[in-house]
Amino acid sequence: GENVEQHPSTLSVQEGDSAVIKCTYSDSASNYFPWYKQELGKGPQLIIDIRSNVGEKKDQRIAVTLNKTAKHFSLHITETQPEDSAVYFCAASPIYNFNKFYFGSGTKLNVKP
Amino acid sequence: DADVTQTPRNRITKTGKRIMLECSQTKGHDRMYWYRQDPGLGLRLIYYSFDVKDINKGEISDGYSVSRQAQAKFSLSLESAIPNQTALYFCATSDLVGTGWFFGPGTRLTVL
């Protein structure tokens, strides 16, 4: 089955700096890659996603890049703010085939004021 | 109001007790899921349901059972709780294509 690895497990940055979180996947059939943000005491919330027919997607300060050949995708957060502090999860799945929806182990991002 | 609600939010119980965690959603989604979250292990799927008559085991279903009472309700039961079931449990729903996911706020379960 799919194996999604996520790095780093913890990341500390200064406010205003950029943060990058990386994930790799093993199943070449995966073609949908969402990112979730989990704040303390809350459930994960989708922040951005990308499909395999696109190499990059941006939404304000957040961007995701995908390299299907290398089977890795990354989350980029620019101009980080303290409210970006949270745990971030990546996931990979073939659309329409739920059985292969797997999450990474999470990255705890701490943005220092 | 929240799209996905879970009750209780916190529960402490003893080994051997039967526990039920409940999930309700107002998204109108047919697909519902139960996940377990442990530190350093991310989210692991326990059970999922694509409609009221469809129940499927996930990767860690042993020791758990579920009931889909209606489109909007999906319950998770621990028939005889054990300490290694101490974890944070999340309910989630998704649309038919699996790209619109919504998670509940979680239930923190402690088994003594």
Side-chain angles (χ1 to χ4, degrees), chain B residues 19-62:
Chain B
I19 294 295
M20 178 180 284
L21 309 182
E22 299 185 337
C23 175
S24 294
Q25 54 111 348
T26 59
K27 297 299 296 180
H29 288 163
D30 285 324
R31 298 185 173 193
M32 297 186 73
Y33 317 87
W34 275 104
Y35 280 92
R36 168 177 172 161
Q37 185 176 39
D38 297 277
L41 293 178
L43 292 154
R44 294 183 292 166
L45 181 64
I46 306 172
Y47 270 94
Y48 63 100
S49 170
F50 282 178
D51 63 43
V52 176
K53 298 180 180 179
D54 178 78
I55 302 289
N56 303 280
K57 292 182 178 181
E59 55 183 312
I60 55 163
S61 59
D62 287 349

Side-chain angles (χ1 to χ4, degrees), chain A residues 32 36 38 41 43 89 98-99, chain B residues 9 33 37 48 90 99 101 104:
Chain A
Y32 175 64
Y36 291 85
Q38 185 179 17
F89 291 96
F98 166 76
N99 288 344
Chain B
R9 293 295 311 278
Y33 317 87
Q37 185 176 39
Y48 63 100
F90 287 102
T99 58
W101 281 65

Side-chain angles (χ1 to χ4, degrees), chain A residues 26-94:
Chain A
S26 60
D27 190 343
S28 57
S30 290
N31 56 5
Y32 175 64
F33 308 93
W35 284 90
Y36 291 85
K37 176 182 181 182
Q38 185 179 17
E39 296 176 321
L40 197 62
K42 297 183 179 179
Q45 280 195 303
L46 179 69
I47 55 172
I48 196 168
D49 57 12
I50 192 169
R51 301 190 185 193
S52 59
N53 59 345
V54 176
E56 183 177 6
K57 184 176 178 181
K58 289 184 179 179
D59 183 3
Q60 299 182 334
R61 296 186 297 108
I62 294 173
V64 57
T65 58
L66 171 66
N67 183 327
K68 282 215 75 176
T69 303
K71 294 193 181 70
H72 67 72
F73 56 111
S74 300
L75 177 71
H76 305 254
I77 306 174
T78 59
E79 301 173 18
T80 54
Q81 301 167 5
E83 51 265 40
D84 294 329
S85 295
V87 178
Y88 292 82
F89 291 96
C90 64
S93 166

Side-chain angles (χ1 to χ4, degrees), chain B residues 7 13 43 53 55 78 102 111:
Chain B
T7 56
T13 190
L43 292 154
K53 298 180 180 179
I55 302 289
L78 288 68
F102 293 84
V111 183

